[in-house]
Amino acid sequence: MSAHVRLIKSEGGDGMDAEDHHGGYDPHYWLDIDNMIIMTKVVKEELSRLFPEKAAAFETSAQAYIGRLEKLKSDYHTGLKGCKNRILVSNHRAFGYLAQANGLEAVSVIGLSSDEQPSAKVIGKVIALVKEHGIKTIFFEEFINDNVAQTIARESGARSESLQPLENISEDELKSHQTYESIMRENLAKLTEAMECR
């Protein structure tokens, strides 16, 4: 299933503008697990170039990690395959790659800048969309003010929940030795519950 990122712009305009995230400036490319696999290979190649005497060890480690990433990717596809709702609503445009990779539609209230302030009109459109589609959860990015997500949740009868885009790691996450894999699995658990996946 092909998906696109639907960005509800706050800088004027009456409609919801379809925008392909590949043509935009979304920096969260690692949320597509295929991209994380590519990044692992690139890092392995560069380390092997810099330290050729350790190339075999780098290869072994990279292959083991890629195996875990492939399992993570499979779990995402399985977990999000049979969902009642396939629209991921968030306060910030951070989850386009994740949505695209898993056949979801991402709707965001503001764009890539966390300083952007959505208009009442834009918030109203999102509330109407949430009610129309019976969306149960509004996601907000950790480390960004969640007032907009809380407002939309309150006005639509949904709930708000954090989703981690992995661009920042909290002190608690650092202390508990959270990894890309563990945080992505936490995200998956939140998504499957929110989207009523079988």
Side-chain angles (χ1 to χ4, degrees), residues 22-95:
H22 292 297
Y25 301 96
D26 184 352
H28 306 87
Y29 51 85
W30 53 82
L31 292 179
D32 181 335
I33 299 168
D34 278 337
N35 288 338
M36 194 63 177
I37 291 171
I38 292 169
M39 291 163 64
T40 301
K41 293 176 179 178
V42 169
V43 169
K44 182 259 297 182
E45 292 296 332
E46 183 61 15
L47 287 173
S48 296
R49 185 185 68 80
L50 293 172
F51 306 99
E53 70 281 5
K54 298 181 180 179
F58 294 144
E59 179 68 28
T60 299
S61 295
Q63 288 305 315
Y65 188 53
I66 288 170
R68 295 202 303 274
L69 291 175
E70 292 284 6
K71 177 65 167 62
L72 179 64
K73 176 183 171 182
S74 175
D75 290 346
Y76 258 81
H77 287 178
T78 300
L80 298 174
K81 185 176 181 180
C83 303
K84 181 178 178 182
N85 165 42
R86 303 202 67 78
I87 303 175
L88 192 167
V89 180
S90 65
N91 65 333
H92 179 223
R93 186 185 165 205
F95 303 103

Side-chain angles (χ1 to χ4, degrees), residues 55-144:
F58 294 144
E59 179 68 28
T60 299
S61 295
Q63 288 305 315
Y65 188 53
I66 288 170
R68 295 202 303 274
L69 291 175
E70 292 284 6
K71 177 65 167 62
L72 179 64
K73 176 183 171 182
S74 175
D75 290 346
Y76 258 81
H77 287 178
T78 300
L80 298 174
K81 185 176 181 180
C83 303
K84 181 178 178 182
N85 165 42
R86 303 202 67 78
I87 303 175
L88 192 167
V89 180
S90 65
N91 65 333
H92 179 223
R93 186 185 165 205
F95 303 103
Y97 279 97
L98 187 152
Q100 179 76 19
N102 295 284
L104 306 176
E105 182 179 2
V107 171
S108 56
V109 186
I110 63 174
L112 290 168
S113 171
S114 59
D115 296 327
E116 187 178 335
Q117 294 298 318
S119 68
K121 184 176 183 180
V122 167
I123 292 172
K125 285 184 177 183
V126 178
I127 291 169
L129 179 142
V130 169
K131 289 180 177 179
E132 177 187 353
H133 293 278
I135 294 167
K136 300 290 195 298
T137 304
I138 312 302
F139 288 105
F140 61 90
E141 181 181 348
E142 294 183 355
F143 305 106
I144 289 182

Side-chain angles (χ1 to χ4, degrees), residues 110-190:
I110 63 174
L112 290 168
S113 171
S114 59
D115 296 327
E116 187 178 335
Q117 294 298 318
S119 68
K121 184 176 183 180
V122 167
I123 292 172
K125 285 184 177 183
V126 178
I127 291 169
L129 179 142
V130 169
K131 289 180 177 179
E132 177 187 353
H133 293 278
I135 294 167
K136 300 290 195 298
T137 304
I138 312 302
F139 288 105
F140 61 90
E141 181 181 348
E142 294 183 355
F143 305 106
I144 289 182
N145 190 308
D146 66 344
N147 287 345
V148 172
Q150 297 285 2
T151 297
I152 293 170
R154 184 173 58 251
E155 296 297 324
S156 64
R159 68 186 182 95
S160 61
E161 175 67 82
S162 66
L163 204 62
Q164 171 57 285
L166 290 110
E167 63 181 293
N168 294 299
I169 300 295
S170 71
E171 187 175 344
D172 287 342
E173 287 169 333
L174 191 62
K175 286 179 179 177
S176 62
H177 305 290
Q178 290 272 45
T179 65
Y180 173 86
E181 186 181 358
S182 65
I183 292 173
M184 286 291 282
R185 288 195 177 280
E186 288 182 5
N187 283 346
L188 176 59
K190 292 177 180 181

